[in-house]
Amino acid sequence: MIKKVFSSLGVALLYLMSLLPFFILYLIADLLFVIIFYVTGYRRKVVQQNLSNAFPEKSAAERATIEKEYFRYLADLVVETIKMGSISRSEVDKRMVVNNFDACTSAAFAEGRSVIAVVGHYGNWELASLKFGLVTDHPRITVYKPLSNRTFDEMFRKVRSRFGATLVPMKNTLRKMAQLRGAPSILMLASDQTPSRDEATHFVQFLNQPTAIFLGAEKLARSLDAAVVFCDMRRVKRGHYVCNFELLFDHAKDTAEYEITNTHVQRLESTIRQEPPYWLWSHRRWKIKPEDVR
């Protein structure tokens, strides 16, 4: 009961913070950066190890620069995510510009087929999930991993679905798509999700190390003969992004096993290598090793 009360108070506080204008939120972000980087050292060792493994060709000074830029961006990402609780539709349109969406999806939709959109934890993927609800009138499905705290999980589900997207837990994705079979829809999911140990059956070389990859995007796409598109997100300036959609495969049924997975992972790595600070480096992404699942 006490936990629920405090969680409810936390949700209310986050909503009140979301009403603040961006310039004040970014002042908070500047202070938050100092706290997490200099005072608490939040997951700095995790970030340093991840960067060292991913970029052995870079000097220690170069990796230190990426590390610092990453934590500056992480602070911005926190306040931008908070702002999602009350951000207007017009503000979303201004801050997340989408290019090439119709060109990548119109053929599949015209044939009554669905589209699988793969994104990474790169840039502001949360703002992208809001924009996702505005790009088409076809059913929009966002796959997510529920939070353990029910109060905060309910808050994030409401926030992420404010503009029309339907949130579906990862384990219920197949069931939801079966309900929509015959009606063209678009489903967005993260291509760099870490699978459970039981699901870690496929490893690819990602950021210079063997990486267990969740096969959900490929399995869904091939079962539906969906088109597969990649969202190449770029940070233009503070609080402003552009998402360029790219068609990877028009007919997933024509692909070889693991071709979709390998392709979208390579495409994400290319984006990360061009501008490293905007990926989620503080995530313990490489906990599962190939030798752990043999």
Side-chain angles (χ1 to χ4, degrees):
M1 180 64 181
I2 294 178
K3 181 179 179 181
K4 185 175 182 180
V5 170
F6 277 103
S7 295
S8 298
L9 288 174
V11 168
L13 177 60
L14 289 175
Y15 177 74
L16 291 175
M17 287 183 65
S18 78
L19 300 175
L20 295 172
F22 269 103
F23 78 91
I24 293 181
L25 287 172
Y26 284 131
L27 290 176
I28 294 173
D30 291 339
L31 175 60
L32 180 60
F33 162 69
V34 172
I35 293 172
I36 63 178
F37 188 76
Y38 290 107
V39 180
T40 67
Y42 171 76
R43 291 198 175 184
R44 285 192 62 181
K45 290 185 177 179
V46 173
V47 172
Q48 290 166 0
Q49 185 63 61
N50 284 343
L51 289 173
S52 178
N53 291 343
F55 303 116
E57 75 283 1
K58 294 185 182 295
S59 68
E62 288 174 318
R63 292 196 295 268
T65 297
I66 296 172
E67 177 193 354
K68 191 171 184 178
E69 289 177 352
Y70 166 70
F71 278 104
R72 284 191 185 279
Y73 179 65
L74 181 62
D76 281 4
L77 185 61
V78 169
V79 300
E80 289 172 11
T81 302
I82 291 172
K83 185 64 178 177
M84 285 172 46
S86 62
I87 193 170
S88 67
R89 181 186 298 249
S90 61
E91 194 77 13
V92 172
D93 283 335
K94 182 175 73 174
R95 292 177 176 272
M96 180 63 72
V97 176
V98 169
N99 295 324
N100 211 38
F101 178 81
D102 289 338
C104 290
T105 61
S106 58
F109 287 156
E111 296 171 3
R113 294 183 295 115
S114 292
V115 175
I116 305 296
V118 289
V119 302
H121 288 94
Y122 184 90
N124 193 330
W125 65 88
E126 292 289 1
L127 184 60
S129 72
L130 276 190
K131 180 72 174 189
F132 180 56
L134 302 172
V135 294
T136 180
D137 291 331
H138 291 291
R140 290 86 74 199
I141 312 298
T142 300
V143 178
Y144 81 108
K145 186 177 293 187
L147 301 176
S148 57
N149 185 300
R150 290 186 179 181
T151 303
F152 282 101
D153 183 62
E154 182 179 358
M155 178 199 74
F156 273 106
R157 281 191 289 109
K158 287 181 178 179
V159 168
R160 289 166 172 165
S161 60
R162 286 182 61 211
F163 298 132
T166 299
L167 274 291
V168 176
M170 190 178 296
K171 66 180 181 180
N172 296 337
T173 306
L174 284 173
R175 184 185 311 165
K176 182 64 178 180
M177 295 308 289
Q179 293 172 359
L180 295 171
R181 188 174 291 275
S185 60
I186 181 167
L187 180 143
M188 178 177 282
L189 49 73
S191 61
D192 53 354
Q193 291 275 17
T194 303
S196 66
R197 194 171 297 273
D198 292 340
E199 295 174 311
T201 59
H202 183 60
F203 286 77
V204 302
Q205 196 72 3
F206 174 62
L207 292 171
N208 200 50
Q209 51 211 304
T211 307
I213 298 296
F214 182 64
L215 296 174
E218 174 165 329
K219 290 179 178 178
L220 278 170
R222 296 183 71 185
S223 67
L224 299 170
D225 189 26
V228 181
V229 300
F230 175 76
C231 174
D232 181 30
M233 194 183 307
R234 304 290 174 160
R235 188 186 192 224
V236 179
K237 60 181 180 179
R238 201 174 201 183
H240 291 261
Y241 304 84
V242 61
C243 178
N244 298 305
F245 277 91
E246 300 174 6
L247 179 64
L248 299 183
F249 301 96
D250 190 20
H251 284 271
K253 69 177 182 180
D254 296 333
T255 62
E257 186 177 20
Y258 302 133
E259 184 178 3
I260 293 173
T261 300
N262 294 344
T263 300
H264 71 65
V265 170
Q266 290 169 2
R267 187 61 193 80
L268 175 60
E269 178 170 341
S270 175
T271 297
I272 294 170
R273 287 190 174 279
Q274 290 177 51
E275 293 185 280
Y278 307 128
W279 192 60
L280 192 61
W281 292 103
S282 51
H283 178 48
R284 293 186 174 92
R285 180 62 183 84
W286 288 279
K287 292 183 292 185
I288 302 176
K289 308 292 184 183
E291 56 269 22
D292 296 334
V293 297
R294 289 173 181 168

